[in-house]
Amino acid sequence: MELLQQTLQQIQAVDQDMMVKARERVDALSKPPQSLGKLESLAVQLSGITGELFPNIDQKAMIVMAGDHGVYEEGVTNNPQNVTVFQTLSFPKGLTGVCAIAKITNAKVVTVDVGVKEDLPTDAGVLIKKVKYGTDNMAKGPAMTREEAIRSIEVGIEVATEQVKNGINLLGTGEMGIGNTTPSAAILSVIHNCDPLKVTGFGAGVGAGGIEYKAEVIRKAIALNKPNPQDPIDILAKVGGLEIGGMAGVILAAAANRVPVVIDGYISTIAALIAYKLEPNVKEYIIPSHMSEEPGAKIAAQLLDIEPMLQMNMRLGEGSGAALAFPILDAACSMMKNMATLEESMLLLSK
């Protein structure tokens, strides 16, 4: 709890003065006003986050949090639970979707076991930060204790902070956990105060009972555990996931270290909601990548008042959409650094 509190206290608003300077430069570039659209607002946001007129984001890392879910026992997905282990071990080998996409910008992929159900080999290239062997079944009781929820957040803080200390200047959030759209929908149902069916989707493969059954399991879990809508840690503990807590920690650490963080789709956005509920200033450090195909993704983005930049019909997870957005951020930085203002162009041409 001490690390979490220290991190929350370090989070400040972005540099508004630098954002004004960045906007002035963007508006002065050799182009019609707003003609580069979201690229312009991204450049201004990056300047505000970093405090630099010409931001540098050349050292990128995707942090993939892996954890299992006890609610799997309820048949909410048709995927075997051991896929979590299989895929978690595949990340360090560069064999997954996010790894293939991350290679485009030479981003490293950091894999973290925050709650996989099985013990992983210590030499597999996965950071072992296991809080517990998967969450408990939230349909029968709390997914975890409050202390475990806090610890999952602190794992994310520790890993992200270490990456920043080692020179990383752009972070992305990703996850691996069979069944994790179920706790994501549960968290969103509590925060949005809506029926779970409104925010429950197919996921990576819905179980035999279909989406309505999946929503009913979530209804049951919420009624049983009664998470406090005003307490994000209570929500996370009672109906959440360890990897969701881990990603929330990554987002908090990014903000505390004034580093931009690109979030992936539905599950990453739910983690961002948890982080935002803990400290609203984190929103200014978040860069949303793509709009997931999950029905709750749009609602979660609206609650955060963020607009994902890509519409790619993706729902893989892993951080794949976040990694896909990295080159766009490179383009925004290149615009600031390499594109001349009208005044600069005139001076150069007059020589």
Side-chain angles (χ1 to χ4, degrees):
M1 187 66 178
E2 184 178 348
L3 176 59
L4 175 57
Q5 288 302 325
Q6 289 174 352
T7 304
L8 293 174
Q9 290 169 6
Q10 290 172 12
I11 297 172
Q12 305 294 324
V14 296
D15 189 335
Q16 296 294 333
D17 290 339
M18 184 54 70
M19 289 182 75
V20 170
K21 293 177 183 177
R23 173 49 67 186
E24 289 173 349
R25 177 168 179 83
V26 167
D27 289 344
L29 294 175
S30 304
K31 60 174 181 58
Q34 287 84 52
S35 58
L36 283 174
K38 291 182 181 179
L39 214 59
E40 299 184 17
S41 57
L42 283 170
V44 172
Q45 183 183 6
L46 289 169
S47 288
I49 291 171
T50 62
E52 300 172 357
L53 186 60
F54 304 107
N56 182 24
I57 53 167
D58 60 339
Q59 300 297 316
K60 306 173 179 66
M62 286 296 316
I63 300 180
V64 180
M65 292 284 169
D68 277 305
H69 298 269
V71 74
Y72 178 86
E73 299 170 1
E74 301 298 316
V76 293
T77 176
N78 61 13
N79 288 293
Q81 193 166 36
N82 62 9
V83 170
T84 301
V85 172
F86 178 80
Q87 284 293 86
T88 301
L89 294 174
S90 296
F91 290 115
K93 293 180 170 61
L95 303 176
T96 69
V98 68
C99 294
I101 298 170
K103 286 180 181 178
I104 297 169
T105 55
N106 294 317
K108 65 189 291 192
V109 177
V110 181
T111 315
V112 185
D113 172 7
V114 67
V116 177
K117 195 173 181 180
E118 299 178 21
D119 283 316
L120 303 182
T122 55
D123 60 351
V126 177
L127 291 178
I128 308 300
K129 299 276 189 177
K130 199 188 299 286
V131 174
K132 63 185 299 182
Y133 291 88
T135 56
D136 298 324
N137 186 349
M138 67 180 184
K140 296 179 179 177
M144 54 188 130
T145 66
R146 187 177 184 87
E147 291 71 26
E148 288 165 345
I150 291 169
R151 180 62 194 142
S152 73
I153 296 172
E154 292 185 334
V155 165
I157 293 171
E158 290 170 359
V159 173
T161 301
E162 184 66 22
Q163 291 301 313
V164 172
K165 285 180 179 177
N166 290 333
I168 293 298
N169 47 31
L170 179 66
L171 289 166
T173 61
E175 40 62 43
M176 182 62 232
I178 293 301
N180 61 10
T181 57
T182 300
S184 296
I187 291 169
L188 184 55
S189 297
V190 174
I191 291 176
H192 192 46
N193 189 28
C194 69
D195 183 78
L197 189 59
K198 184 177 180 181
V199 294
T200 301
F202 187 80
V206 74
I211 290 174
E212 289 191 7
Y213 170 73
K214 184 176 174 181
E216 179 55 35
V217 170
I218 295 169
R219 259 186 231 110
K220 178 181 175 182
I222 293 172
L224 175 66
N225 294 298
K226 298 179 174 59
N228 179 358
Q230 307 306 316
D231 184 349
I233 294 177
D234 190 61
I235 301 170
L236 179 65
K238 288 179 175 174
V239 297
L242 293 156
E243 78 276 42
I244 296 171
M247 289 190 294
V250 170
I251 294 165
L252 291 171
N257 287 283
R258 304 191 73 84
V259 170
V261 56
V262 184
I263 61 172
D264 192 29
Y266 186 33
I267 300 150
S268 285
T269 308
I270 297 303
L273 264 177
I274 294 290
Y276 171 74
K277 292 292 182 180
L278 287 167
E279 173 46 66
N281 276 329
V282 301
K283 191 184 86 169
E284 298 174 299
Y285 294 85
I286 292 169
I287 298 172
S289 60
H290 77 111
M291 182 59 72
S292 166
E293 284 288 276
E294 284 294 297
K298 184 175 182 179
I299 293 172
Q302 288 172 343
L303 290 178
L304 276 168
D305 191 25
I306 57 177
E307 184 181 358
M309 66 180 88
L310 301 171
Q311 179 67 60
M312 300 291 288
N313 300 334
M314 293 169 66
R315 54 181 176 85
L316 172 64
E318 299 181 5
S320 52
L324 189 61
F326 281 179
I328 297 176
L329 301 186
D330 283 338
C333 291
S334 182
M335 177 194 73
M336 288 295 278
K337 182 179 179 181
N338 298 313
M339 193 172 177
T341 65
L342 284 170
E343 183 179 353
E344 290 166 347
S345 296
M346 290 173 66
L347 283 171
L348 287 168
L349 291 172
S350 66
K351 290 181 180 179

